[in-house]
Every structure is written in structure tokens, then in C-alpha cells.
Amino acid sequence: MMAKFQRFGGAMFTPVVFFVFSGIIVGLTSVFTNPAIVGGLADQGTIWYTVWKVIDAGGWTVFNNMEVLFVIGLPLGLANKAKERASLEAFVIYMTFNNFVNQILQMFGKNFGVDINSTAQTSGLKVIAGVKTLDTGVIGAILIAGIVVWLHNRYFSVKLPDWLGVFQGSAYVAMLGFFLMLPIALLFVWIWPVFQHSILQMQYFMVKSGNFGVFTYIFLEKALLPLGLHHFIYAPFQYGPAVIEGGTTLYWVKHISQFAASTKPLIKLFPEGGFAMQGMSNIFGIPGIALAFYSTAIPKNRKKLLALIIPGVLTAALAGITEPFDYTFLFIAPALFFVHAFLAACLATTMYAFGVTGDMAAGLIDITAKNYIPMWANHWQIYVIQWIIGIIFIGIYFVVFRFLILKFDFKTPGRSEDEMVNMFTKDDFKNKNKKSGKATKTAADPFRTAAGAYINLLGGADNIASVNNCFTRLRLTINNPELIANCKNKLATF
């Protein structure tokens, strides 16, 4: 079961990777169309304003279609075979679901307390790929994608009678999905409006829990990383409705211009931003840890260690990628990793208590584009406070880690007598903790066996230049026809 959770967490990255760049674009366009920053250039009707508005429209592509991205992206990581077909099936079945919901609401919406014609932001409705439907967010998208992956893995390879061959594969999965989506659409129309109301209540509770809620969120997000379960912590907050409708990422980019123009404290404008500050430990925690590594290393190893940790610190601070440090802890001294998680939670909570908030879940490049540049004119004071707290925590990290490393003689990089200095990766950690088990036997796939035989008869895989097909014919381009079994001197017949 744990392996399945980890695999799901990894699949989440497929659509998420697009968000960082799109967020930077939206943040920059907000800056370059803000009259307080660029003056008269930002007046409507100027070429400057027009160009940046066009760029802004492109930047919103990802955020306006998050549900579709998750529906298409998750099968790429979860399907056991024919992943591309699984993604296409997921899109078709997801849009079938949305069309069912649309028609049910048009005919019976009032019975469920939903007005399909409402244009209010609080209506609980959204237009997805041209279809007005319930706004189920990425939760609905992930659920439907999960159902499709299950159908695909179970039924994609089912062999139908030859006369029904046109309905095999993706067509068969889509047919099953079609009939399954009808009761699921009815279920969603009945339950989701109630769920949306419950979400609003939960959002209120999470925001009102203040510092305790932020501490718990940051600690769990960091502490669950080695189990691959941290995705289940941050995803509902950043991309779902756990603390604000649409998630912290989408809400922030939608309101960048409004927040930038306001002189009200950011903590009042966006109190939900405390649940998007896990990036602070990347910028201020990792440098303190690196200093502790360096100061506790054997002097003869420090030069090599410096060449190792400087790129790691820059990668963590600028891009938010902390794997070399995280898995070095887990490999050498897991206790240090949980100290890191505790200090990361303390760091973010302290900043939040002093009024720091925003979309700060990644690295310095992303944070600068979406926070510092657009917000600086009216909110620079809070960022000065943030960096003062951050620099103090670099010192706290250094003192705590140095003390623990020396106290318990943890063999962090550079502390071994040999001259080999290295950090560790996720694969190193997995291999260290891999338990021996009995080899599992997998049943032979008759279709794979037959395919292998055909490939051999065709002269091997290297003899096949290209493969194409329609429903009834397989078309091959062969490099050397003479290598085809039983075809020598019969090329004309072939």
C-alpha cells in the first residue's frame, strides 16, 4: 500500500511541473502592467500594455486548466501500460462526466440547490474545456483520473471476439467509463454542493487556527517527505480547496495585482498564505545546515566538501530542490531530518506570526517573481522583516546542527577519515532500506509472447524501421527483407 501511495505522489509531479514557470510569467506581467512600477507605460492602449496582456493570457493557460492537466497527467505516471492511451481515455471520460453533470443541473439543478445559470463566484460552478459544470477542482479531476487508470489497467488488454475488435483497447475503456460516469455524475450533483459548504467551514477553521495550523502543516509536509506522502499534505492546500477555494497558488496569482496595489498588511489580505511557506527552509535552513557540515568536517576534507555543498545550497535556495540534503540526513542520521522538519516549521511559523505571507512554496527564483518584485513597492517592510528572521534562523540551524553532529558524532559529509566526500540521493536511501523478499512470479502474457515470436520472424527488433496500423492491418517498414523468416527468394510475394 505504501508503494502505491508513493507512486501516486510521484505521478502528481507530472502536471505540477508546469506551475512554477507559469507562476513566474503571471507575476512578471503583474509587475510590468502596474502603473506604480512602470508609470505611464502601463496605461491601457499603449503597445507595452498590450504586449504584456497578451503574454499574461498565455501565462494563465496552466492555471485556468489545472483540472484537465491533472486528468491527463496522472495516468502518465499511474497506468501500467499504454500510458498515452490512458491519458486520452481519461480526458474523454472526464469530459463525459462534466457533460453529464451539466445536463443534470440544467434539468434538475434546483432540486440540488444549484443554479446552473448563476455567474456568481460563490456559485460552485466552473467552465472546464467549454463545459459549465460543478467546480470539483483538482479533487474531482484526481478522482476521475484514478477511476480511469483502474479501468485502463484492468480492461485495456482484454481480448474481444474478432468481430468486435474495433471496440478493444481504448474504445472498450471509454465505453465502460461512459456508463460508469452517469451514476458518478448523479452522486456528485447530490453530494458535492454539501461538500463545498463543509469545505468553507474547514477553510475558516484552518485560517483561524493561525500559528498552530501553519506549524502543523509545514512540519507534516517536511516530515512525510521520505515516505512520499508529503504530496497528500501540500496538494489540497496549494491546488485544492483545503484552506481557500482553488488553492493558495491559484488564489495568489489571481490577486497579485490587487494585493500589490493595496497598502493593507499582506497578512490581512492573504492570511491563507501561511500554508504556502514551505520554501522558507530551502532559502534559510539549508545554508545553516551546510555551514554546520563545513565547520564539523575534518580540515583536510573541507575543500572537497565546499565544492559539493555550494551547488547544493544554490540549487535548494534558488530552485527549491533539497534532495541532496534531505536524503543525506535520512541515509546517515534520520534524527537530523526530523530536527530539520521541526526547525522548518518553527521558521515558517515565526515569519507568519510577524506578518509574512504569500506564495512562497518553492525557491528564490519563483518567490522573487511572484512576491518580491510585484509586492515590493507597498510591502517592502514585511520582506525586510522576513529576511531578518531568516538570517537569524540560519544561525539557529547552524548552532543546532553543529551541536547535534558533534554530540552524537554523526558522520555527515567530510567527517570520515577517508578522503571520499559525498552526499546521498533518494536511490541510495531506498537501497539502504530495501528489505529482501521473495521474487514474485508473473504470469506470462500470451500477447507479449506472440509479439516476441513475430518480431523474431521479422528478423528482430533492429530490422523493423517503423510500425503503423489501422483497425485491421499492421503495416511495417523493414530494413532488410532478406532477414524475414522463410522469405528469402520470395521478396516479390512479400
Side-chain angles (χ1 to χ4, degrees):
M1 181 60 70
M2 182 62 67
K4 291 181 179 179
F5 279 127
Q6 291 174 336
R7 188 180 179 192
F8 175 83
M12 288 282 289
F13 271 110
T14 306
V16 167
V17 293
F18 296 102
F19 294 163
V20 174
F21 175 73
S22 294
I24 291 174
I25 293 297
V26 171
L28 291 176
T29 55
S30 174
V31 171
F32 294 133
T33 56
N34 187 338
I37 298 175
V38 297
L41 284 174
D43 292 341
Q44 292 190 24
T46 64
I47 295 178
W48 175 273
Y49 179 87
T50 302
V51 169
W52 281 106
K53 275 299 178 181
V54 171
I55 294 174
D56 182 63
W60 277 97
T61 302
V62 169
F63 297 109
N64 288 336
N65 296 279
M66 285 200 301
E67 297 87 353
V68 175
L69 285 176
F70 275 94
V71 163
I72 294 174
L74 285 179
L76 290 173
L78 297 177
N80 294 334
K81 63 190 80 171
K83 299 176 183 291
E84 301 85 352
R85 293 289 192 92
S87 291
L88 183 60
E89 295 156 11
F91 176 74
V92 171
I93 293 173
Y94 178 63
M95 293 313 300
T96 300
F97 162 81
N98 285 325
N99 276 287
F100 280 151
V101 169
N102 176 275
Q103 287 301 310
I104 292 171
L105 290 178
Q106 286 197 38
M107 293 185 288
F108 309 108
K110 292 183 179 180
N111 297 326
F112 298 103
V114 179
D115 180 8
I116 188 66
N117 297 314
S118 175
T119 57
Q121 291 186 348
T122 57
S123 65
L125 301 168
K126 184 177 182 179
V127 176
I128 299 176
V131 179
K132 194 170 188 179
T133 181
L134 284 175
D135 184 5
T136 60
V138 297
I139 292 179
I142 290 171
L143 178 61
I144 301 300
I147 292 172
V148 175
V149 167
W150 179 81
L151 289 172
H152 176 86
N153 289 341
R154 188 175 180 87
Y155 297 108
F156 180 79
S157 299
V158 169
K159 176 68 174 173
L160 298 178
D162 289 343
W163 60 278
L164 290 175
V166 69
F167 296 111
Q168 285 181 174
S170 292
Y172 189 45
V173 174
M175 286 192 300
L176 295 174
F178 180 93
F179 293 109
L180 187 58
M181 286 303 107
L182 186 55
I184 289 178
L186 284 167
L187 189 64
F188 261 84
V189 169
W190 175 38
I191 292 177
W192 195 257
V194 178
F195 181 64
Q196 286 175 321
H197 178 73
S198 300
I199 287 174
L200 291 175
Q201 299 301 314
M202 183 177 67
Q203 291 169 1
Y204 179 81
F205 170 78
M206 291 298 295
V207 174
K208 292 302 179 181
S209 63
N211 296 336
F212 175 75
V214 172
F215 180 91
T216 303
Y217 167 77
I218 298 294
F219 178 78
L220 290 176
E221 193 276 337
K222 179 62 70 176
L224 292 176
L225 182 146
L227 300 177
L229 300 181
H230 60 302
H231 307 285
F232 294 92
I233 300 297
Y234 75 74
F237 286 82
Q238 287 185 233
Y239 311 118
V243 72
I244 195 167
E245 189 64 34
T248 55
T249 298
L250 180 60
Y251 190 87
W252 177 261
V253 295
K254 276 187 173 181
H255 295 81
I256 280 181
S257 297
Q258 176 185 333
F259 294 161
S262 176
T263 56
K264 292 183 179 179
L266 281 176
I267 196 70
K268 292 185 177 181
L269 295 170
F270 190 54
E272 301 84 1
F275 301 93
M277 292 181 63
Q278 55 265 43
M280 294 300 93
S281 62
N282 304 337
I283 299 171
F284 302 109
I286 297 299
I289 295 169
L291 288 172
F293 282 1
Y294 182 79
S295 70
T296 57
I298 296 173
K300 68 177 182 179
N301 291 335
R302 286 180 177 174
K303 186 175 182 179
K304 291 183 178 180
L305 179 61
L306 202 60
L308 185 69
I309 62 176
I310 287 178
V313 170
L314 291 176
T315 301
L318 296 177
I321 299 172
T322 61
E323 179 176 305
F325 285 91
D326 293 337
Y327 287 99
T328 294
F329 299 150
L330 292 168
F331 191 92
I332 295 172
L336 289 180
F337 181 81
F338 291 100
V339 172
H340 177 33
F342 175 80
L343 289 177
C346 291
L347 168 60
T349 305
T350 302
M351 288 185 174
Y352 186 72
F354 277 84
V356 179
T357 184
D359 186 6
M360 301 184 181
L364 196 55
I365 294 174
D366 180 68
I367 291 171
T368 299
K370 291 197 291 186
N371 296 267
Y372 298 156
I373 294 176
M375 302 294 159
W376 187 262
N378 287 325
H379 304 286
W380 64 269
Q381 300 93 336
I382 202 63
Y383 296 133
V384 171
I385 293 172
Q386 177 189 31
W387 276 81
I388 292 173
I389 295 171
I391 291 170
I392 292 172
F393 263 86
I394 290 177
I396 293 173
Y397 262 89
F398 169 73
V399 171
V400 171
F401 271 81
R402 188 178 189 278
F403 171 79
L404 292 175
I405 290 169
L406 295 176
K407 175 72 174 177
F408 298 101
D409 194 25
F410 291 128
K411 296 301 181 183
T412 49
R415 283 181 54 75
S416 177
E417 285 294 339
D418 60 52
E419 295 187 3
M420 182 177 179
V421 179
N422 68 299
M423 298 179 76
F424 297 93
T425 66
K426 183 185 292 188
D427 290 336
D428 295 324
F429 174 69
K430 287 182 177 179
N431 292 333
K432 178 185 177 184
N433 293 280
K434 188 180 292 181
K435 296 180 180 179
S436 58
K438 296 181 179 179
T440 57
K441 295 183 179 179
T442 55
D445 184 342
F447 300 113
R448 184 174 292 274
T449 301
Y454 289 132
I455 290 173
N456 289 333
L457 291 172
L458 289 166
D462 292 338
N463 197 37
I464 301 173
S466 65
V467 180
N468 201 352
N469 69 281
C470 62
F471 279 119
T472 59
R473 291 173 178 82
L474 182 66
R475 298 183 176 90
L476 306 173
T477 301
I478 301 299
N479 291 321
N480 187 356
E482 292 184 0
L483 296 179
I484 299 175
N486 300 320
C487 283
K488 289 184 179 180
N489 303 320
K490 298 182 181 179
L491 298 182
T493 303
F494 174 76

